Amino acid sequence: MKTIGLIGGMSWESTLSYYSLLNEGVKAALGGLHSAKIVLVSVDFAEVEAQQREGDWQGAAALLARAAQSVEAAGADFVLICTNTMHKVAEEVRQAIEIPLLHIADATGQALVRDGIRKVGLLGTRFTMQEAFYRTRLADQFGLEVCVPAELCQQRVHDVIYQELCLGKVTDSARQDYIRIIKTLQESGAEAVILGCTEIALLIGDADVDIPLYDTTAIHVQSALNASLA
């Protein structure tokens, strides 16, 4: 079994899901008392969020690169950044280490292509929905047409993530807003919707809507399990 490296804390709520799902996956695959071999460096999300808000992506890249180097030094065989948004600096992180970085958008794109999806809706932070680093990767590398909600809906999705989900707060009003926004994506022709923020699965799941949802946390975890247990 290979050792999985995690850069977490963005937020710790979703990192907890990564840790639980990885250990559940190893137990299901190997049985007995087996658990995942994990090296975790958890950053202070308040520092990262301030860098995001101020547009200091160079500083954020340096912070995550140092975390990745610590994970590598501790013996990880590969590393995951446990958040969608911070894949904006994934290339800087990858260049700072010798071990592979498993990109969350690549794992998601592979799952969508495998299932025959061509047009997909994307929910996430404002950065993930509006900027090219995520959408363009899905389009260029996987041939996917990516659609996002209207501006006001984007803001609502973003605010729920930072003001509620990252604080462990799950409300029915937020769930109903997300359901409504997902329906608008479906009406625009989306065949599925990417839950492109690792906290969104805390709020909404397949039982809430009648369109396939792609939980990037679960997909990213499965890619790590495949690499660890290969």
Side-chain angles (χ1 to χ4, degrees):
M1 189 193 314
K2 294 179 181 177
T3 300
I4 302 165
L6 301 179
I7 304 174
M10 302 167 285
S11 66
W12 71 262
E13 296 283 348
S14 64
T15 305
L16 179 62
S17 297
Y18 271 86
Y19 188 81
S20 296
L21 290 170
L22 285 167
N23 280 289
E24 289 168 3
V26 168
K27 182 178 180 180
L30 302 180
L33 296 176
H34 284 289
S35 56
K37 293 183 177 180
I38 296 173
V39 173
L40 167 63
V41 172
S42 190
V43 302
D44 179 1
F45 189 41
E47 181 177 353
V48 174
E49 188 277 333
Q51 290 169 328
Q52 292 175 344
R53 184 164 22 87
E54 295 164 6
D56 182 14
W57 295 104
Q58 183 175 356
L63 188 154
L64 264 62
R66 291 192 297 271
Q69 290 166 345
S70 296
V71 166
E72 182 177 30
D77 293 295
F78 56 89
V79 64
L80 286 70
I81 303 172
C82 300
T83 165
N84 286 271
T85 298
M86 294 312 295
H87 279 75
K88 181 176 171 67
V89 300
E91 184 58 24
E92 292 91 329
V93 173
R94 188 192 66 77
Q95 292 179 3
I97 54 178
E98 299 297 325
I99 58 175
L101 184 149
L102 302 189
H103 199 293
I104 196 168
D106 291 349
T108 303
Q110 289 162 7
L112 289 160
V113 169
R114 181 194 64 221
D115 294 344
I117 302 296
R118 297 308 303 258
K119 183 173 182 179
V120 64
L122 173 63
L123 299 181
T125 67
R126 183 175 64 251
F127 312 107
T128 300
M129 289 186 287
Q130 293 182 357
E131 299 188 27
F133 72 93
Y134 203 95
R135 294 164 58 181
T136 299
R137 193 177 187 100
L138 291 173
D140 291 351
Q141 297 195 20
F142 301 97
L144 294 164
E145 181 182 353
V146 182
C147 58
V148 296
E151 178 65 31
L152 286 177
C153 293
Q154 287 186 33
Q155 191 61 52
R156 175 58 174 157
V157 170
H158 180 90
D159 289 345
V160 167
I161 291 167
Y162 281 88
Q163 298 172 15
E164 298 184 23
L165 299 180
C166 287
L167 299 173
K169 183 179 179 182
V170 176
T171 67
D172 188 60
S173 62
R175 181 178 295 107
Q176 292 306 315
D177 284 345
Y178 269 58
I179 290 170
R180 176 178 53 81
I181 292 167
I182 287 170
K183 286 181 178 177
T184 67
L185 292 171
Q186 190 173 12
E187 290 166 357
S188 72
E191 303 165 75
V193 173
I194 299 170
L195 305 185
C197 174
T198 50
E199 284 85 10
I200 294 178
L202 301 173
L203 177 68
I204 196 163
D206 290 328
D208 297 307
V209 293
D210 58 0
I211 185 172
L213 300 178
Y214 283 73
D215 175 3
T216 52
T217 301
I219 292 168
H220 207 196
V221 163
Q222 189 58 55
S223 73
L225 290 170
N226 293 343
S228 178
L229 298 173

